[in-house]
Amino acid sequence: MIKEKKRITAYNYKKPLKIIIFEFARTIAVSFLIAFVFTISLSIHARNEMIKNIYQAAEIQRNIDRQVAEQFIQSNPSMLTDIKNKKYSICMHIGNLYEAVGDYTKAEIAFRSATEKAKPNEYRPYYKLVCILIDQGKFDEANNLLSTVKDKPNKKIIKFKTRSYIVLGDKLYSIGKFITAARNYEKAEFYYNKFKKKDKIIEDSIRTRIINSYEKAADAIVEMGYNSDAVRYLKKVEKYDKDNYKIKYKIGIILSDSDPEEALKYFGPLLDKMPQEIDYGVYCTALMKAANIADLEGRTTVAKYYRHKIHTIDLFIKRKVVYKNDLDIVLAAFKVKKAFLTYPLKGTYRFSNVSNSDIPNLTADFVLCLKDKPLETITRTVADKNKPLTLGGDNHIDCDVKFKKAIYTKKELENYTIKIYAYKDEKFKTLVAETKIPNKSFSLIK
């Protein structure tokens, strides 16, 4: 007799041990992941709140210190009397009180007296005096004071002079004296480099200050017509930031009039790195000027090369590069309607060609950003050989875009923007538009 096979049902089924162990491990892993994400979120929130509270507490403390100082000064109006005969610590305390209430003239008197009584290698009163002089706009006096303090192989004096020159540079930068600010930052860098152990944050901070100061100085000088000085300052920036192609482009632009062949040395590499940022007209004009100079000097082969380069660049630009001014982009429709407890971000962008030729191929990346931080990217083909973006009139192409990001309230929409990068070649993307997200539905499409 053949034994009938027992039928397996939901009531008598027994899972194999391997499956039980796997499911148990999976449950633990998922629980751990959820707990980890939740803990990280709480810690980030707590950190942000802590920083916010620190700033608030510091402001409250400053107000309290100011009020206490005012009361103390009012009850002791003759604190500066016979200041030269008072102890170092008392002079420092008096200086701090007057500094707290913003009376820098009297604070200067107290701190000067403190410097006379300070012990060797004690530079705190000197630093306080430098800051007070800077607050009063006495920059020459602050510099003279720093010069009178002799350099020694001492960490305290290195720290004092580094900090002082940074503070002096910051004040000069804030009032538009960029060259003098840069020179003070360079002095700060000189002293900071004496430290054996470096802090990358401080090092980068000083370097960034020098770069910004010389760049601002160059921009201001160009407007006054002193191009050679502007190039000199921009080359200082280039020394600190060798891969800053925007600085190289500025140098090329300035040299394109005075020394076109030298300008070409800067323009050439930029064509591979950021062609969409280069003014094609300026580059080609520099090439033509360089060709004419080469002809006058009898370098006919070089002149032919420069003229051929113009044709090559023209072909490259037409095939590979999109300029911001080549396109007119309009948000033609947008839907803001709640669906399943969220607001789906769905819109239509209208692309029009306002360049001087048809665009046979064009792709666009639509990037959803939260305060400049990219969250989601959608790529759309705008034009191809079968449907080019042609010139003129009412010719345009509409692109529909729908993001997956869940938005729960209309108020949140104010924090988001959509950046559009257009390109013919993926290597050379151009930011052609940036739009805020509307909080009302609309449609301009007919």
Side-chain angles (χ1 to χ4, degrees):
M1 186 175 177
I2 298 173
K3 189 175 181 181
E4 186 178 348
K5 191 174 181 180
K6 190 176 180 181
R7 185 181 177 187
I8 297 174
T9 66
Y11 300 101
N12 61 13
Y13 172 71
K14 290 184 179 180
K15 291 182 181 179
L17 182 60
K18 286 184 179 179
I19 294 177
I20 293 172
I21 293 171
F22 172 76
E23 291 181 348
F24 179 71
R26 183 180 62 186
T27 303
I28 291 174
V30 170
S31 302
F32 177 78
L33 181 62
I34 292 170
F36 178 75
V37 171
F38 184 69
T39 304
I40 291 294
S41 300
L42 285 177
S43 64
I44 291 171
H45 178 72
R47 179 179 174 276
N48 291 338
E49 286 296 315
M50 182 183 71
I51 293 171
K52 182 180 176 182
N53 291 337
I54 287 170
Y55 280 110
Q56 289 177 345
E59 184 61 31
I60 292 168
Q61 188 61 50
R62 277 194 293 271
N63 291 332
I64 292 171
D65 291 344
R66 191 182 300 112
Q67 291 172 5
V68 170
E70 286 174 352
Q71 292 173 1
F72 195 89
I73 290 169
Q74 287 173 3
S75 59
N76 298 275
S78 58
M79 285 192 295
L80 287 177
T81 303
D82 201 26
I83 189 73
K84 290 186 178 180
N85 296 324
K86 289 178 179 175
K87 292 182 180 179
Y88 163 78
S89 59
I90 294 173
C91 291
M92 287 295 292
H93 184 62
I94 292 171
N96 289 331
L97 288 170
Y98 280 117
E99 183 185 18
V101 299
D103 193 337
Y104 299 134
T105 304
K106 291 180 179 178
E108 180 186 341
I109 295 169
F111 288 132
R112 280 193 186 279
S113 184
T115 59
E116 295 168 4
K117 301 176 179 69
K119 293 179 181 179
N121 299 329
E122 177 56 65
Y123 299 104
R124 192 159 61 95
Y126 289 95
Y127 178 71
K128 297 291 285 186
L129 180 55
V130 166
C131 291
I132 288 296
L133 291 171
I134 292 169
D135 285 332
Q136 296 178 88
K138 297 179 179 179
F139 306 123
D140 290 337
E141 287 187 41
N143 255 315
N144 291 337
L145 176 63
L146 288 167
S147 299
T148 56
V149 180
K150 293 183 179 180
D151 292 347
K152 298 176 185 178
N154 183 301
K155 285 184 179 179
K156 287 185 177 179
I157 197 168
I158 294 171
K159 184 178 179 181
F160 155 61
K161 289 204 171 183
T162 301
R163 290 177 65 194
S164 297
Y165 281 119
I166 288 174
V167 172
L168 183 53
D170 286 347
K171 185 65 176 181
L172 290 164
Y173 185 92
S174 70
I175 60 174
K177 295 187 176 182
F178 303 118
I179 297 172
T180 317
R183 287 169 182 162
N184 280 283
Y185 291 140
E186 286 178 326
K187 289 178 183 177
E189 183 186 44
F190 169 78
Y191 284 102
Y192 180 76
N193 285 338
K194 293 179 180 290
F195 283 110
K196 291 181 180 179
K197 291 184 179 180
K198 302 286 193 302
D199 185 318
K200 193 172 186 311
I201 294 174
I202 297 173
E203 200 170 355
D204 288 347
S205 173
I206 295 172
R207 178 172 155 274
T208 301
R209 283 175 161 92
I210 295 171
I211 289 170
N212 291 341
S213 298
Y214 276 127
E215 187 175 358
K216 287 279 189 182
D219 290 343
I221 288 171
V222 164
E223 291 181 4
M224 293 186 284
Y226 301 116
N227 289 353
S228 58
D229 288 333
V231 169
R232 183 158 53 90
Y233 293 132
L234 287 172
K235 285 188 175 181
K236 283 180 177 286
V237 176
E238 188 183 21
K239 183 185 75 172
Y240 283 98
D241 194 359
K242 293 179 181 178
D243 294 328
N244 190 329
Y245 294 104
K246 290 188 177 180
I247 293 300
K248 294 179 187 294
Y249 180 49
K250 283 186 177 184
I251 296 173
I253 289 283
I254 296 169
L255 290 174
S256 61
D257 282 329
S258 58
D259 192 348
E261 288 195 270
E262 183 68 19
L264 297 181
K265 294 178 183 178
Y266 286 91
F267 282 132
L270 298 179
L271 197 64
D272 295 326
K273 298 293 182 182
M274 43 178 272
Q276 70 275 33
E277 302 290 336
I278 296 175
D279 188 324
Y280 163 68
V282 174
Y283 188 7
C284 288
T285 300
L287 280 165
M288 185 59 71
K289 287 180 180 179
N292 292 338
I293 291 170
D295 271 335
L296 290 171
E297 293 175 352
R299 295 179 289 134
T300 54
T301 304
V302 175
K304 286 179 181 179
Y305 168 75
Y306 287 147
R307 291 191 175 97
H308 176 71
K309 187 74 175 173
I310 294 172
H311 176 67
T312 305
I313 293 170
D314 186 45
L315 290 175
F316 173 80
I317 295 296
K318 286 180 179 178
R319 291 174 183 171
K320 301 284 188 180
V321 182
V322 176
Y323 289 107
K324 184 176 181 179
N325 295 333
D326 289 344
L327 301 169
D328 180 31
I329 301 172
V330 176
L331 182 57
F334 206 86
K335 185 179 180 182
V336 184
K337 188 175 181 181
K338 206 158 193 175
F340 302 108
L341 303 177
T342 64
Y343 291 92
L345 303 182
K346 184 179 179 182
T348 301
Y349 285 88
R350 177 163 289 174
F351 287 73
S352 300
N353 182 356
V354 291
S355 67
N356 54 12
S357 61
D358 292 344
I359 300 176
N361 68 294
L362 184 68
T363 307
D365 287 348
F366 299 85
V367 184
L368 179 65
C369 299
L370 176 60
K371 296 178 180 177
D372 285 335
K373 180 183 177 183
L375 299 177
E376 186 180 344
T377 301
I378 294 174
T379 302
R380 292 282 183 270
T381 299
V382 180
D384 55 31
K385 61 181 180 180
N386 297 320
K387 190 180 178 183
L389 188 57
T390 55
L391 274 171
D394 297 327
N395 298 333
H396 58 258
I397 294 176
D398 292 337
C399 279
D400 295 326
V401 181
K402 185 178 180 181
F403 291 96
K404 295 178 181 178
K405 172 68 179 173
I407 308 293
Y408 295 99
T409 66
K410 278 191 177 182
K411 185 68 177 174
E412 278 186 72
L413 295 173
E414 297 174 3
N415 300 321
Y416 295 87
T417 57
I418 297 173
K419 293 183 179 181
I420 305 173
Y421 294 86
Y423 52 94
K424 296 175 184 176
D425 187 313
E426 196 171 2
K427 285 172 59 180
F428 309 123
K429 296 183 179 182
T430 305
L431 178 61
V432 291
E434 183 174 359
T435 59
K436 289 185 176 182
I437 296 174
N439 55 15
K440 291 183 179 180
S441 299
F442 71 92
S443 178
L444 303 177
I445 298 174
K446 296 180 181 178

